[in-house]
Amino acid sequence: MKTQTVNGAELAYVDAGAGRPVVLVHGFPLDHSMWNAQIDALSEDYRVIAPDLRGFGRSGVSEGTVTMQQFADDLAGLLCALQVDEPVVLCGLSMGGYVAWQFWRQHGWRLRGLILCDTRAVSDTPEAAAARREMAQRVLREGPAPLVAQMMPRLFAPSTAQDQPELVESLRGVMLKTDPRGIAAAARGMAERPEMVSQLNQIECPALVIVGELDAISTAEEMRAIARAIPHARLVEIAGCGHMSPLERPAEVSAAMREFLGGLA
Ligand code: MLT
C-alpha cells in the first residue's frame, strides 16, 4: 500500500489500474481489503483507489470523535494529493455509505456517480447513539472483542456463514486487529451523523444502490426506499446475500458495478 498525509493523518491506500477513477470506501470496523475482489475486477478498466479510513487498517489513528464529514474531507484531500481532478465514482459500504453522503454534500462537484452498498440514510435514534457511545468506551477498555461479538452474527447471510466459514473468520480477524481508538472515534462519529433521507431527492448524479436481500443492518426495504428517493438511481438486490455483499457475492457485485460504470457518460 502507498501512504499520503492528508489533513494531519497518514492515510494508507491502494491505487490500482488506470482510467476513470473509482473510489471504494470500506465499512466499520474494516479496511480496504473488503474490496479486494472489486479492486481486481475493476482495475482492468478503471483507476481504483481504496483507502483505509483514518483509524482503520494501516492508516494513522485520531482519538476522540471522527465525523463522517471528516472522513469525506480526508477522501477529498487524498484525491487532491493524488492529483485526481476529474470526477470520480464514489462507492461506499455501510459506514462507507455514510461517508459517501457527506462527500456528496461537501464535495459534490467531484462526483460522476455514487454506488451505495448496504447502507442507511437515517441517523441513529437517541438510544442507538447512546449504545454506540457506550460501546466506544467499552472497546477502549477491553479492545474490539465485545464489538466484534455483537456485530458478527448480523454481517453475513446464514448460508454464507455456514458455507464460507473462512470468509467469516478472515473478516473477524480484520475487525479484531483494528485499533480500539479508531473504532471508538468512528463509532462516536456515526452516533452524530446527520439524517440524509430528506436530501436524497437532491442527489443529481447517477446512483447504483446495491443491497443483499437478507441484510440485517441496512435492510432491503430501507434500501429500496433510498433507491426510490434518489432521482437517477438503479437498485440491484442480491438474492440470499447479507450485509457484506461485496465479500459474499463478489462476482455479482463487481458485475453490477461494471455495468453501472460502463453506462456513465
Ligand atoms: C458497517 O457495516 O459499516 C456498520 O454496520 C455501520 C453501522 O454500524 O451503522
Side-chain angles (χ1 to χ4, degrees), residues 106-123:
Q106 303 297 329
H107 308 283
W109 61 273
R110 281 190 170 277
L111 281 176
R112 189 185 302 281
L114 279 170
I115 303 178
L116 302 149
C117 292
D118 302 280
T119 192
R120 312 190 71 190
V122 291
S123 54

Side-chain angles (χ1 to χ4, degrees), residues 27-28 93-96 98 132 151 155 190 193 217 243:
F28 169 84
L93 177 128
S94 202
M95 182 181 79
Y98 309 158
R132 273 200 212 272
M151 287 188 74
L155 290 181
M190 286 194 285
R193 74 187 190 280
I217 295 174
H243 185 62

Side-chain angles (χ1 to χ4, degrees), residues 9 22 41 47 53 68 82-83 93 100 102 112 133 139 158-159 165 183 185 193 204 206 238 251 253 256:
V22 180
R47 179 175 182 185
L53 296 173
M68 301 302 106
L82 298 181
Q83 294 179 326
L93 177 128
Q102 298 313 309
R112 189 185 302 281
R133 294 191 179 104
V139 167
S159 62
I183 292 179
R193 74 187 190 280
E204 282 172 358
I238 307 206
V253 169

